[in-house]
Amino acid sequence: MSTTILAIESSCDETAASVCRDGKILSNIIAGQKVHEQYGGVVPELASRAHIQNIVPVVEKAIVDAGLSAGVPIAIGTKAGCRIQDMDAIAFTQSPGLIGSLLVGAQFAKSLALSINKPLIALHHMQAHVLANLIEEPKPDFPFLCLTVSGGHTQIVLCESPIEMKVIGETIDDAAGEAFDKTAKMLGLPYPGGPLIDKYAQQGNPDRFQFPEPQIPGLDFSFSGLKTSILYFLQNAGKTNVYKVEFKVSEVEKKKFINDNLADICASIQQRIITILLNKLKSAAIQTNINNICIAGGVSANSGLRKAFGETGKKYKWKTFIPKLEYCTDNAAMIAVAGYYKYLAGQFDDLSVSASARAKW
Ligand code: KG4
Ligand code: ZN
């Protein structure tokens, strides 16, 4: 007997739905939200409204594209081929994220589960990022370590099974994605700046400028010092020690310095973020004696990190795993696969389950 899961993801500014059968992705639909571009960041209230507009067509398309069977239109859709009755469970992102956005997905999933009398499965967004590594072959054997790097989180996760995970290191301040996005903002780049830093870095010299590596004990990370050092560095147009505001150049001179050196600045910042991440991952591998190692989350789409991770893996004889790009940034396929494993473990939630902005791990 096969198991088919419909999953909904709405934790931030992407409305996404996916159908998976026995862990294999049959459809993966994402609607982005352009409305935030003019504000330089995600506006929570606008995100919730856009989710409400997007959720019916996105879920409907995910079911139709899954192509499970022809025929009977369903309550929420009108197209033939859209068979909600074929689903064995409805999975959704419960936390963490923007509460208004999460509530749209949660309420929709609950209503759907109630209407077809099928079980409901609530998922942790960051755990689902980790399990994106189980979507395609080759999959890591358990136990594995996962460096999960997103817009709001930076974690090293020890994964014993699809339903047993432990955070063994995490950021004490900014996340890696925030480090990318905030420094991109200082460089005058639009939100989200991570992909743009990646793009400019590809033409730059990563050794041209030196930024400090924080000395944080254990497996935890910190990115706020790096952010400050980049701020001072830009304020003095790279003329003096990057740790101090010894003097400030004029805005015009600062802009000129950035324009003239953008590729090298991006490459140097990116290289430092990558070395901070990979040095901690190396320590985690030594400490746990685990050599199946994955990366996940939006920042794992970074071309420099993907390359450096592969090279580090070769050097230390790790078996390395990186999800396909579309499964790194926010998506519902990872929610579907995480939901599938919870289904197999018989872990269901009742209709009283509520969305939560902050999640217990
Ligand atoms: O996982 P994700 O899509 O959403 C959250 O759960 O937060 O991660 C979004 C983060 C943003 O900070 C974005 O700038 C970053 O991932 N990101 C990248 C790249 N693509 C996305 N950062 C660096 N290089 C990229 N290519
Ligand atoms: Zn995410």
Side-chain angles (χ1 to χ4, degrees), residues 9 11-12 14 96 125-126 129 148-153 296-298 328-331 334:
E9 151 65 35
S11 62
C12 191
E14 265 107 16
H125 180 86
M126 297 312 295
H129 268 305
T148 320
V149 272
S150 74
H153 293 76
C328 289
T329 45
D330 284 350
N331 67 86
M334 66 185 194

Side-chain angles (χ1 to χ4, degrees), residues 40-208:
V42 178
V43 182
E45 175 64 25
L46 296 180
S48 315
R49 292 181 196 195
H51 282 306
I52 287 173
Q53 282 174 347
N54 292 342
I55 199 152
V56 169
V58 165
V59 170
E60 187 181 71
K61 185 155 174 44
I63 300 171
V64 173
D65 280 13
L68 294 175
S69 48
V72 198
I74 55 141
I76 63 153
T78 50
K79 292 180 189 151
C82 187
R83 292 243 336 200
I84 190 71
Q85 295 88 343
D86 289 333
M87 304 302 146
D88 293 303
I90 310 293
F92 71 100
T93 305
Q94 181 195 8
S95 64
L98 301 171
I99 189 63
S101 294
L102 288 165
L103 280 169
V104 175
Q107 292 311 115
F108 194 83
K110 285 202 254 182
S111 312
L112 215 48
L114 181 66
S115 72
I116 60 169
N117 196 25
K118 292 285 168 66
L120 185 67
I121 303 175
L123 275 312
H124 188 299
H125 180 86
M126 297 312 295
Q127 294 182 353
H129 268 305
V130 173
L131 297 184
N133 282 287
L134 300 187
I135 293 178
E136 294 200 315
E137 298 294 344
K139 297 174 189 166
D141 288 333
F142 294 98
F144 65 78
L145 293 179
C146 184
L147 171 70
T148 320
V149 272
S150 74
H153 293 76
T154 299
Q155 300 175 324
I156 299 177
V157 177
L158 169 53
C159 195
E160 302 273 7
S161 80
I163 51 164
E164 285 167 286
M165 295 181 215
K166 194 162 81 182
V167 177
I168 58 170
E170 62 189 326
T171 182
I172 56 171
D173 41 53
D174 288 347
E178 274 175 299
F180 272 108
D181 296 340
K182 288 180 180 175
T183 53
K185 198 171 179 182
M186 291 182 217
L187 295 169
L189 301 173
Y191 179 88
L196 290 169
I197 294 200
D198 187 351
K199 183 178 140 201
Y200 292 116
Q202 288 172 30
Q203 275 105 52
N205 170 7
D207 299 319
R208 168 97 185 276

Side-chain angles (χ1 to χ4, degrees), residues 7-42:
I8 295 167
E9 151 65 35
S10 68
S11 62
C12 191
D13 61 340
E14 265 107 16
T15 320
S18 170
V19 174
C20 88
R21 176 164 278 179
D22 296 334
K24 189 170 170 288
I25 300 303
L26 302 181
S27 64
N28 183 31
I29 308 300
I30 301 183
Q33 302 181 356
K34 291 219 166 294
V35 63
H36 309 287
E37 272 171 15
Q38 58 191 302
Y39 301 102
V42 178

Side-chain angles (χ1 to χ4, degrees), residues 320-337:
T320 55
F321 302 85
I322 313 181
K324 260 195 349 208
L325 280 179
E326 67 207 85
Y327 302 138
C328 289
T329 45
D330 284 350
N331 67 86
M334 66 185 194
I335 306 297
V337 163

Side-chain angles (χ1 to χ4, degrees), residues 241-274:
N241 189 321
V242 294
Y243 300 91
K244 294 181 191 143
V245 210
E246 283 169 6
F247 66 88
K248 281 191 192 178
V249 298
S250 69
E251 269 306 298
V252 176
E253 196 179 335
K254 182 177 124 185
K255 281 207 177 109
K256 183 169 184 324
F257 171 71
I258 292 173
N259 269 340
D260 292 348
N261 300 285
L262 187 60
D264 289 349
I265 297 172
C266 288
S268 303
I269 292 170
Q270 179 171 298
Q271 166 154 285
R272 175 49 80 215
I273 294 175
I274 292 171

